[in-house]
Amino acid sequence: MANPTQNPTIGQLAADLAAGRTTSRQLAEEALARIEDPKGEGKRAFVKVWRSQALATAEASDIQRKAGLVPSPLAGIPVSIKNLCDVAGETTLAGSIALDDAKPAAADAPVVARLRAAGAVIVGSTNMSEFAFSGVGFNPHYGTPGNPADRKRVPGGSSSGAAVSVADRMAVAALGTDTGGSVRIPAAVCGLTGFKPTARRVPIDGVVPLSTSLDSIGPLANSVEDCAIVDAVFAGEPISVPAAAPLSGLRFAIPKQFVMDELDPVVATAFERACKALSAKGVKIEQIDLVELNELPAINAKGGFAASEAYAWHRDLIARRHNDYDQLVAPRILRGKEMNAADYIELLGKRADLQRRVAAITANYDAVIMPTCAIVAPTLDEVSTADGFTRKNMLLLRNTTVGNFLDRCGISLPCHAAGELPVGFMLMGEAMADRRVLAMARSVAPVVSAH
């Protein structure tokens, strides 16, 4: 069983590289060996592995380092990217086989180009829920990578391979996307840290969209500090790790409604324990009425932004290749066919209205907190039927979708004890409060991770 809490961080490996205790070539070879291990999850976690390119990049990084050229803390460090990012010369598949006849990408997506410029060694492209349209992480085309805590359980989605690549040390950090929780869900159920930035901070060009209104790109990694480094690279900002915010005097709000319903007992216990530990450190935690969240199911009853915007992108492809789609994903996209322009414009208005009303209540708090997912990772058997899949998918996505709809930033931190199934603790901040959330998370993470 993998234990992500003991994985080396970007900071540790950057220090090892600087001191000559390891080389980028060695790190790349070790990551590739884990990917290629027939007993491991590599064949299911990755759709494409770029062995020769990764080794060439690593060797070049070692030569540059000797010459004093170290572009960032990510220089020479193995990372993975999700299979919906354009890579020059490669066909972008988005976890599907329906795009296998598409033209190869003419250029790298900006986020991929920024990783390369930072000196990262990209080892491969990770598996995902087809077209990023589920929180489960199941994929009928490329297999479903096993959860590092229990291989009979799903890894969460849609950034499934991303999470497993980091947890199983096939990469040190991963590029994931988050439209309704696709970074935070797999991070939570695999015992990692996952950061969803305010969407507009990171360009989504050259990335197959699910919902252009909700899509964001964020890192999955082994620590808050690692997430801060990779997020800065994605956003094209100066790389810095914000100083940890003092815990004493922070005010966190727990919504009484919606996000605390139907919690798995393992999740409820872990979250309660984490809140008690924070309170003991001087954090003021208040339960608040946020009945507005109960409106979300009705607002999104016709399929919401994901269905309407996905259908707009998929309309011609799904007509031509419908039989090649994951049969659990196709119906979710096709719901968008029933929405008309008036429905969509009404949805835009309701979103803006809900954002305003919720912000008026939460503005007095440093962050809103909740369990990242209502449940632990389901078993593969539990999601093997359409009904089981739909129910578990809904419970995995429910809490995280709140942040996307409200256009906020958020981070999932591990908060389970050793030997327990992984559970995530989520901090949700206002739009553009990203660095503030990372600063708070640096202080919160060691307190909530019960070992």
Side-chain angles (χ1 to χ4, degrees):
M1 184 190 293
N3 184 1
T5 56
Q6 294 172 354
N7 286 356
T9 64
I10 292 168
Q12 289 166 340
L13 292 174
D16 287 346
L17 286 164
R21 289 188 290 268
T22 189
T23 64
S24 180
R25 168 92 196 196
Q26 190 178 336
L27 293 177
E29 283 179 343
E30 288 169 359
L32 289 162
R34 290 188 185 98
I35 294 170
E36 290 156 8
D37 180 356
K39 295 197 226 48
E41 296 297 313
K43 56 188 171 293
R44 287 175 292 275
F46 284 83
V47 175
K48 296 180 181 182
V49 180
W50 296 309
R51 181 184 177 82
S52 58
Q53 297 97 313
L55 292 174
T57 305
E59 283 176 8
S61 180
D62 288 331
I63 292 166
Q64 287 180 314
R65 188 176 291 276
K66 281 181 186 155
L69 299 170
V70 184
S72 87
L74 264 186
I77 305 259
V79 301
S80 66
I81 59 174
K82 194 170 175 178
N83 187 238
L84 39 53
C85 300
D86 281 354
V87 171
E90 297 279 344
T91 301
T92 309
L93 297 169
S96 182
I97 56 172
L99 287 172
D100 57 12
D101 58 356
K103 283 183 185 164
D108 287 344
V111 278
V112 175
R114 287 173 180 181
L115 280 174
R116 291 199 206 280
V121 175
I122 299 173
V123 291
S125 177
T126 54
N127 197 4
M128 53 185 282
S129 306
E130 185 185 66
F131 295 116
F133 216 153
S134 104
V136 172
F138 171 81
N139 188 299
H141 313 299
Y142 302 103
T144 302
N147 188 301
D150 176 357
R151 300 300 183 190
K152 293 186 177 67
R153 293 178 183 271
V154 299
S158 63
S159 308
S160 53
V164 176
S165 76
V166 175
D168 286 357
R169 294 185 63 184
M170 298 182 276
V172 181
L175 180 157
T177 62
D178 193 308
T179 304
S182 290
V183 162
R184 291 160 294 157
I185 294 164
V189 302
C190 290
L192 299 168
T193 303
F195 181 63
K196 177 230 174 295
T198 307
R200 69 190 90 114
R201 284 185 53 247
V202 180
I204 55 173
D205 324 47
V207 176
V208 174
L210 171 53
S211 164
T212 47
S213 293
L214 306 175
D215 291 346
S216 59
I217 295 171
L220 295 93
N222 294 306
S223 70
V224 176
E225 293 80 0
D226 285 5
C227 282
I229 291 166
V230 181
D231 169 69
V233 171
F234 289 164
E237 296 171 0
I239 297 173
S240 67
V241 176
L247 285 172
S248 184
L250 286 179
R251 293 183 70 203
F252 291 163
I254 304 173
K256 289 179 191 172
Q257 290 80 13
F258 194 65
V259 298
M260 299 301 286
D261 299 341
E262 293 185 75
L263 295 186
D264 181 294
V266 175
V267 173
T269 301
F271 184 71
E272 194 177 319
R273 189 173 57 212
C275 289
K276 277 184 184 160
L278 287 172
S279 295
K281 296 279 187 185
V283 178
K284 294 179 176 63
I285 298 177
E286 296 171 39
Q287 291 195 323
I288 62 165
D289 280 310
L290 205 54
V291 291
E292 290 77 5
L293 298 184
N294 286 333
E295 299 170 31
L296 281 165
I299 290 172
N300 290 307
K302 292 182 179 175
F305 289 109
S308 55
E309 293 175 350
Y311 181 68
W313 191 89
H314 283 271
R315 184 165 51 177
D316 295 339
L317 182 67
I318 206 166
R320 187 166 60 86
R321 300 284 301 263
H322 181 271
N323 292 342
D324 293 320
Y325 275 64
D326 177 347
Q327 294 309 297
L328 292 168
V329 167
R332 302 182 75 199
I333 294 171
L334 288 169
R335 286 185 73 196
K337 192 176 185 177
E338 308 307 317
M339 286 180 70
N340 59 35
D343 293 331
Y344 183 77
I345 290 165
E346 182 183 32
L347 181 63
L348 288 169
K350 285 184 173 176
R351 183 190 191 196
D353 174 58
L354 192 72
Q355 285 171 342
R356 268 194 306 273
R357 287 186 287 131
V358 171
I361 298 165
T362 61
N364 299 324
Y365 298 91
D366 292 290
V368 176
I369 60 170
M370 64 191 79
T372 309
C373 301
I375 56 173
V376 294
T379 63
L380 288 161
D381 284 349
E382 286 172 331
V383 298
S384 61
T385 64
D387 286 350
F389 182 94
T390 301
R391 169 138 185 83
K392 295 295 185 184
N393 186 50
M394 189 182 75
L395 285 168
L396 285 168
L397 281 158
R398 185 193 67 201
N399 289 7
T400 51
T401 53
V402 172
N404 301 81
F405 195 83
L406 295 176
D407 188 29
R408 297 194 170 198
C409 58
I411 192 163
S412 179
L413 307 169
C415 77
H416 55 286
E420 291 178 357
L421 284 171
V423 172
F425 180 99
M426 185 158 62
L427 284 170
M428 189 171 76
E430 307 281 335
M432 301 305 283
D434 301 57
R435 304 309 275 181
R436 172 79 177 141
V437 165
L438 288 162
M440 290 188 287
R442 284 196 68 190
S443 306
V444 168
V447 178
V448 303
S449 62
H451 297 301

